[in-house]
Structure formats: C-alpha cells, structure tokens
Amino acid sequence: MPTVLQDFSNVSSLSDSQLTEEEALQLANELSLKLSDGERPGSDAESLKKMVAGLGDARGALRLTFAKSLGAVGDEALPILCEALRQHQNVVVRRASAKTLNLIGSKEALPYLLEAFLEDSDPVVLGSSAGAMATIGPDAMDSLLGILKNPDCTPFQVGLINLALSFIGAKAPEALLEAAESDVTEVRVAAISALGDQIQKSDDHRAKNRVFRALDDCSPDVRAEAVTLIGKSCDAEDVEHMLTRKLIDKDTQVRKNTAMALMKLEAFNSVESIEKAKATEDDESVQAVFDVAINILSRNL
C-alpha cells in the first residue's frame, strides 16, 4: 500500500464525518472569503476533515468551494484526499476527491488514483481518476499503458485511457512513439490514437509517419484505428492513395473505416476506387458502407 497516508493515520473515522446543511454553508462562506482574500485555508487535521466532509454536500456550488479550498492547501491535503478517494462510503465524496486531486496534480497521488481506476465501481470516479492521472502527466503514462496489458481492462477503461494519453501526449511525444512499437496490441492501439492529437495540433511528422506505418500493422485493430485517425487528421490529397489500398484489407472493420475516412476527408477522387472495391466485396455490411460513401462523395462532387 502506498505510504502517503501514514501522515494522516490519526483520521480513522473519515467515512463517518459529515456536516449539516447549516455547517456546510457557514464553512463554505468562510472559505470563500479566505480564497477571495488570497488566504490559504487551514491545513490542520480537523479543518481538512471538515472540508472533505463538505465534498459530499448536495449543493454543487458548495462542493466546488470545498474542492478549491483543498486544492489551495495543496500537498498537505493529499493524504486525506487519497484516503477519501479509496475509503469513503459516499460516492459523491469519492468523485469530488478525485476531481480535487486533479486540481493538485501531484504524482504522489498516482498509486491511489490507479487503484481507484482499477477497483472503484462508479464510472464517474473512474473518469475523474483518469483525468487526474492525465494532469499528472508523463509520470502517469507507464501506469496507464500498464492497465491496457490487463486482460480484464474494460472497453470503458480503454476509452478513458486513450483520452488521458491524448492529453499527456504533447508532453511526452517520445514515450508515445515508443509505446506505438509495443508488442501488446492494446498498447499500440492506444498510442496510435493518442498520436492524433500531436498530428492535429503540431503537425508532428514523426507521429504522422508512425501512423502511416500502422496501416500495415499485423493487428486489424491497429490498422482500423490508424485509418480512422488519418481520416480525422490529414488532408485528402496527402493520404488518399494510402487509404484506397485499404479498401481491400483482409479485415471488414478496416474496410468500413477506410470508406468512412475517405468520406470524411471529402476525397472525391476516391469514388472510382470505392466502386471497384465494392464490385469484389462479399460482406453486405461493408457493401452498405461503400454505398453510403459513394453516394455522399458523388453528390458533393
């Protein structure tokens, strides 16, 4: 178990702590005045315990005040926030604790955020924990990629990890490029997906070339992701020739994604290629996607 909680071992009844509506309102008003005056809220054990209890208040504005106050306390609030994230019975407190850890952005909270992401049953806690890990940045990348190697990782978790990696990617481009060479298919898919943000925002040529190479990956999942990403991130004249050859890929999803990508790119010159691919296509679901692409592109042309 991570050691950050050792400094807060005297708080044993955190899950039982709560404030009345009047107490929460009064405390929130006091904290708001301190924040507006540039004062730092108290960081003693009792003050922190009350602020964490306030994270469970039904009023969103008050919860935000308590979260900002704990965020202003900073690292000294980490132990109780980590404990609340993992142990509190009130799911609203667990959600708010993860969001507050996001405000602080300390890598010391990473083990607890990781545990919450893997073990908590609430999807909002999972999402907020992933967001907090993304805020931590490159230090969290190995942990996020490691989760993808777990066969029990759910599609929902995979989606959150992909979003987190996209956020981190600009700060750790080398790590993403390295992950794109992983032996684990799920890691390559996530890395290729995250590279899209770099291509769109900074026109990273190394990232673009790595995505282009992914079109011939041994995994159909990676190829399908690469095709979709190219359809979102590139110009038609630069990639049309690459994509049209994937219209006859061995995998049905890759073929579908290719037609959709060409349609999204408004690659009008690809109509003939799609029609040719359709003539030899045996899968009816792929034929249907080809038909849509042909109709849309022909109409716009």
Side-chain angles (χ1 to χ4, degrees):
M1 193 73 172
T3 58
V4 68
L5 296 187
Q6 290 180 354
D7 295 333
F8 219 86
S9 57
N10 61 321
V11 179
S12 58
S13 58
L14 184 61
S15 290
D16 300 327
S17 61
Q18 55 185 349
L19 302 174
T20 65
E21 288 190 2
E22 292 77 12
E23 289 172 335
L25 182 59
Q26 181 179 347
L27 180 58
N29 288 335
E30 293 172 0
L31 291 169
S32 293
L33 288 174
K34 284 189 175 183
L35 292 174
S36 62
D37 290 340
E39 293 183 35
R40 186 170 179 266
S43 58
D44 60 281
E46 193 59 32
S47 295
L48 293 174
K49 188 175 179 180
K50 287 181 178 179
M51 283 187 277
V52 169
L55 294 177
D57 195 273
R59 293 160 288 188
L62 267 64
R63 289 200 305 274
L64 181 59
T65 297
F66 292 124
K68 287 181 176 178
S69 299
L70 287 160
V73 171
D75 288 350
E76 290 180 69
L78 285 176
I80 193 170
L81 284 169
C82 289
E83 182 175 334
L85 173 65
R86 298 300 299 121
Q87 305 294 335
H88 211 287
Q89 296 175 3
N90 186 342
V91 68
V92 177
V93 173
R94 299 203 306 277
R95 293 171 177 175
S97 295
K99 292 173 182 176
T100 307
L101 288 169
N102 192 357
L103 293 177
I104 297 174
S106 171
K107 66 180 181 180
E108 297 300 322
L110 183 56
Y112 296 91
L113 292 164
L114 184 60
E115 284 182 358
F117 186 78
L118 290 172
E119 299 174 7
D120 203 289
S121 60
D122 182 72
V124 178
V125 173
L126 267 63
S128 297
S129 296
M133 286 190 281
T135 297
I136 290 170
D139 287 322
M141 184 169 285
D142 286 344
S143 296
L144 290 166
L145 291 173
I147 299 171
L148 293 173
K149 300 176 183 179
N150 186 338
D152 296 327
C153 188
T154 67
F156 180 65
Q157 289 173 316
V158 171
L160 292 174
I161 291 171
N162 287 346
L163 288 173
L165 290 174
S166 295
F167 184 84
I168 296 172
K171 303 176 185 177
E174 296 295 335
L176 269 186
L177 288 169
E178 183 179 343
E181 306 296 337
S182 171
D183 293 333
V184 180
T185 297
E186 291 77 10
V187 172
R188 295 202 305 282
V189 171
I192 293 298
S193 176
L195 286 172
D197 197 55
Q198 289 176 237
I199 295 172
Q200 290 175 307
K201 291 184 178 179
S202 59
D203 196 27
D204 188 319
H205 291 291
R206 287 194 305 162
K208 188 179 292 187
N209 288 334
R210 182 61 189 88
V211 173
F212 291 163
R213 283 201 293 118
L215 289 173
D216 296 315
D217 194 274
C218 61
S219 166
D221 292 338
V222 176
R223 299 198 301 274
E225 184 63 36
V227 164
T228 298
L229 183 57
I230 290 170
K232 295 177 181 177
S233 310
C234 300
D235 295 325
E237 59 267 25
D238 296 331
V239 298
E240 186 176 314
H241 66 290
M242 296 182 192
L243 290 180
T244 52
R245 65 185 179 84
K246 305 311 293 181
L247 290 167
I248 55 172
D249 190 274
K250 294 178 181 179
D251 184 75
T252 57
Q253 192 60 54
V254 174
R255 301 199 296 275
K256 290 178 184 178
N257 287 12
T258 300
M260 296 298 291
L262 289 166
M263 185 172 64
K264 188 175 183 65
L265 287 169
E266 297 184 344
F268 304 120
N269 294 329
S270 68
V271 171
E272 184 177 346
S273 295
I274 301 173
E275 289 175 336
K276 183 177 179 180
K278 183 194 170 189
T280 59
E281 180 59 60
D282 296 327
D283 189 294
E284 292 183 359
S285 65
V286 179
Q287 289 178 350
V289 176
F290 282 177
D291 279 335
V292 172
I294 291 168
N295 290 338
I296 294 295
L297 290 171
S298 298
R299 184 176 63 199
N300 288 343
L301 182 62

